[in-house]
Amino acid sequence: MKPGKLTRLGSNLLPTLHSYQRCWLTSDLTAGLIVAVLIVPQAIAYAFLAGLPAETGLYAALLPLLFYALLGTSPTLAVGPVAIVSLMTLEALSPLATDELPLASYASLLALLVACFLLLFFLIGLGRWTAFISHTVISAFTSAAALIIILNQIKHFAGIEIPQSDVFFQPFLSLWQQADQVNVSALVLGSLMLVLLLAWPRLVRGSAGKTAPLLVILIGIATSWSLDTPLATVGAIPAGLPDLEWPRAISQHWRQINWQALLPSAAIIALIAYLESLSVATAMALQSNTRLNPNRELLALASANMAAAVSQAYPVAGGFGRSMVNQAAGARSQAAALVTMVMVALVCLFFSDWFVHLPKAVLAAIIVAAVLPLIKWSDGVHAWHFQRGDGLTWLITFTAVLLTNAETGIFIGICLSLVLFLKRTSEPHIAEVGRYQDSDHFRNIERHPVTTSPELLLVRVDENLYFANSQHLQDYVQQRLQQQQDIQHVILIGSAINHIDFDGYEGLIRLNKQLQQQQKSLHLAEFKGPVMDQLQHSQLFKQLQPGQIFFTASEAMRQLGKR
């Protein structure tokens, strides 16, 4: 193979590694070690959050990192188990689990379905369409999901059993009902570790500030050994690396499983995993002046989730906290992720028994500290003050996630944001304009001192013309004609119109007919080239006569104002 083809192949398979420089090695080694210290306790904690064995979380921090490193375009995105996806995994799998087929049997199958949806999104080019899901909806969803995650940790802080429920305030009810059974040792230990996790980065600067999870794990294990009071702990974690095989739910229980029930959840998890990963990668790319390929990220995440599926793990995504730590620690490429993977593999092989006495209250503290930054009340407040509709979208999405579930909540949020968008564009801003002073500029008569003509109505539509707003334009023009009887010419200024659909075109036809029946004329001015190309192939130009088409509004006013 020629050197040029080898270079292109390397850039396709290893976009962040094919031009690796030796001087990056020390930075990548340091960042990889720091992220490994962070990801091991998080992986175990997130596995428990998803209702899965601890080793499942560790497996999710192995092969998925390798496959993202091969295909991903972000040099510093840290892929692996994340809190939001872990919660959604629990919600998706809980209704399906039985004694014969526990949650772990479905987890890798869910990862496989997520990979399939991500691959489908890649094939249809979904990367170009993600703008249709607003930041307001994503912020409300992640805030509500983070709050649910925190509430779900109450049972570990208090050391009590809380039944799985769709009611978000169930943990408070259970805590109230079982107040006399609270394990005070677990509550004190978990609370102190949470305070330490939140305070440590502020007290200790630099790389050492990232070691708080490791520190609380060591304290937790030491405390569990020394206390006489029993604490719920992680227990034994099987040593060794995962067997590579198809999800066992497929290979052993294909006829017994209800895999179709997982499809809606898998699709939503795939979408959320991609959006979370892309938002983090984009934020870091802006800081480091690197370029991302949004659609290529879909393929990389699909391969990472496929790797999770065949290694007995569960769905993965790019983690916000770990990625920021990775970049702050100096990572220059995905070589840092490979270092992290090797360190996690060593833990699985030789050090898994270290976590036998790790209290679950400590894991709960790690989870709470990780997801607290995801609750962004300020986004909802700012959205409300800027535009009531966006604030309402944030509030309803947040409430829907709390009262229903993650999938239903985000679906409601997306639908609501689209409905509000249609409502806004169905009643676009329409301005009657006039000449500003002696210039060729035309401005809104309600905002500026302008010159107008009693026989002319110059109207500027600040929106595309389509099915939802074509009638609104007709109603506006007719209302102005009733208010001003002397108008003979209506000049439609299309400087802000970028597209006209068939309903918008028919609306212009109807408006022209109405004006002709009233012995008045419709004229067009300042319409853009692509829109004119559309209209030239229609009947509008023929039916418009004696109406005319003007290059500028100034030209229209000079010619028609003389009549």
Side-chain angles (χ1 to χ4, degrees):
M1 187 177 292
K2 295 181 180 180
K5 291 184 178 179
L6 282 173
T7 301
R8 287 194 297 272
L9 179 62
S11 63
N12 286 329
L13 287 179
L14 303 165
T16 72
L17 296 173
H18 77 281
S19 58
Y20 196 80
Q21 301 177 28
R22 265 190 189 178
C23 60
W24 296 354
L25 183 59
T26 302
S27 298
D28 283 339
L29 281 172
T30 303
L33 290 172
I34 291 174
V35 173
V37 170
L38 182 63
I39 200 173
V40 169
Q42 280 190 351
I44 297 173
Y46 291 157
F48 275 100
L49 174 60
L52 300 169
E55 64 270 18
T56 309
L58 293 173
Y59 296 163
L62 290 172
L63 281 184
L65 277 68
L66 171 63
F67 277 78
Y68 181 83
L70 292 175
L71 295 171
T73 60
S74 171
T76 52
L77 184 67
V79 170
V82 296
I84 300 296
V85 172
S86 298
L87 174 66
M88 297 179 71
T89 297
L90 176 65
E91 291 185 349
L93 300 184
S94 293
L96 305 177
T98 63
D99 293 337
E100 296 181 1
L101 288 172
L103 287 182
S105 300
Y106 282 102
S108 54
L109 172 60
L110 181 62
L112 177 62
L113 295 176
V114 168
C116 291
F117 275 109
L118 286 167
L119 183 59
L120 176 63
F121 296 162
F122 167 73
L123 294 174
I124 65 176
L126 185 71
R128 298 188 298 269
W129 298 90
T130 52
F132 283 97
I133 303 179
S134 68
H135 171 74
T136 302
V137 171
I138 297 299
S139 171
F141 165 76
T142 54
S143 297
L147 182 58
I148 292 173
I149 290 170
I150 292 173
L151 294 178
N152 284 342
Q153 302 317 301
I154 289 178
K155 60 184 177 184
H156 298 306
F157 276 102
I160 59 176
E161 289 295 326
I162 297 179
Q164 184 68 27
S165 173
D166 291 334
V167 181
F168 78 93
F169 52 82
Q170 179 62 44
F172 291 121
L173 295 178
S174 297
L175 183 62
W176 176 264
Q177 295 166 356
Q178 304 177 57
D180 57 333
Q181 302 176 30
V182 170
N183 187 326
V184 177
S185 298
L187 181 59
V188 172
L189 177 63
S191 300
L192 288 176
M193 294 304 99
L194 177 58
V195 171
L196 180 58
L197 284 165
L198 297 176
W200 187 259
R202 300 178 183 178
L203 298 174
V204 181
R205 301 295 181 182
S207 299
K210 315 301 181 184
T211 60
L214 179 61
L215 178 62
V216 301
I217 281 181
L218 295 176
I219 295 174
I221 293 173
T223 304
S224 179
W225 273 342
S226 60
L227 282 182
D228 293 332
T229 304
L231 292 171
T233 60
V234 170
I237 300 176
L241 300 177
D243 296 327
L244 302 183
E245 59 184 12
W246 279 106
R248 292 174 182 172
I250 296 178
S251 58
Q252 300 177 11
H253 306 283
W254 178 250
R255 295 183 179 179
Q256 298 173 253
I257 63 174
N258 183 15
W259 62 270
Q260 296 92 335
L262 287 176
L263 291 177
S265 297
I268 297 296
I269 291 174
L271 183 61
I272 293 301
Y274 172 63
L275 290 174
E276 180 176 357
S277 304
L278 185 64
S279 61
V280 176
T282 301
M284 294 189 300
L286 292 174
Q287 294 178 14
S288 59
N289 196 27
T290 56
R291 294 185 63 184
L292 290 178
N293 183 332
N295 215 48
R296 179 66 177 272
E297 287 296 295
L298 283 166
L299 180 61
L301 288 172
S303 68
N305 278 277
M306 187 67 71
V310 300
S311 58
Q312 303 176 47
Y314 71 102
V316 297
F320 178 81
R322 287 196 307 273
S323 298
M324 292 302 180
V325 168
N326 192 35
Q327 187 176 54
R332 302 297 300 273
S333 74
Q334 283 296 323
L338 301 182
V339 174
T340 300
M341 181 190 69
V342 171
M343 297 304 298
V344 175
L346 291 176
V347 170
C348 292
L349 287 170
F350 304 111
F351 306 108
S352 60
D353 56 345
W354 287 16
F355 301 96
V356 172
H357 298 286
L358 176 60
K360 291 184 178 179
V362 173
L363 292 178
I366 292 173
I367 291 174
V368 172
V371 302
L372 266 177
L374 298 178
I375 302 178
K376 297 182 178 179
W377 308 107
S378 59
D379 283 356
V381 173
H382 293 158
W384 178 265
H385 287 305
F386 184 77
Q387 187 163 268
R388 293 289 188 267
D390 290 336
L392 187 64
T393 299
W394 195 98
L395 180 62
I396 291 178
T397 304
F398 180 86
T399 306
V401 173
L402 287 182
L403 297 181
T404 57
N405 54 53
E407 293 87 350
T408 304
I410 195 168
F411 179 76
I412 290 173
I414 292 172
C415 291
L416 179 60
S417 63
L418 291 177
V419 167
L420 290 177
F421 169 77
L422 288 175
K423 182 180 184 301
R424 283 194 291 265
T425 57
S426 68
E427 298 176 356
H429 177 255
I430 300 178
E432 181 179 351
V433 300
R435 187 188 300 278
Y436 183 72
Q437 297 181 355
D438 294 329
S439 70
D440 285 336
H441 298 290
F442 283 71
R443 294 293 183 265
N444 193 329
I445 64 172
E446 297 180 359
R447 294 177 178 270
H448 303 277
V450 295
T451 302
T452 60
S453 171
E455 296 183 350
L456 305 182
L457 173 63
L458 289 89
V459 174
R460 188 189 70 229
V461 182
D462 294 335
E463 183 58 73
N464 296 329
L465 282 180
Y466 73 116
F467 65 90
N469 62 20
S470 59
Q471 185 61 48
H472 182 70
L473 171 62
Q474 299 171 54
D475 294 341
Y476 178 88
V477 171
Q478 292 301 324
Q479 181 181 12
R480 290 294 295 117
L481 292 178
Q482 291 176 6
Q483 295 171 348
Q484 191 172 339
Q485 302 292 331
D486 296 336
I487 294 175
Q488 297 298 315
H489 303 281
V490 176
I491 304 167
L492 182 61
I493 301 174
S495 55
I497 299 175
N498 297 311
H499 173 73
I500 298 179
D501 71 358
F502 185 70
D503 288 287
Y505 159 72
E506 287 195 322
L508 292 178
I509 292 289
R510 288 194 297 272
L511 176 60
N512 183 57
K513 287 183 178 179
Q514 291 172 359
L515 292 174
Q516 288 180 346
Q517 291 172 357
Q518 297 170 299
Q519 305 298 315
K520 304 179 190 300
S521 300
L522 174 66
H523 308 269
L524 307 182
E526 298 187 12
F527 272 69
K528 297 181 178 179
V531 178
M532 292 297 291
D533 292 341
Q534 279 184 287
L535 297 178
Q536 280 179 348
H537 299 291
S538 69
Q539 297 295 315
L540 178 63
F541 285 0
K542 295 180 180 178
Q543 297 181 20
L544 196 63
Q545 298 175 359
Q548 303 178 53
I549 299 172
F550 296 97
F551 188 69
T552 65
S554 179
E555 178 188 356
M557 190 172 187
R558 280 197 301 268
Q559 292 194 24
L560 299 176
K562 296 178 180 179
R563 300 181 183 181

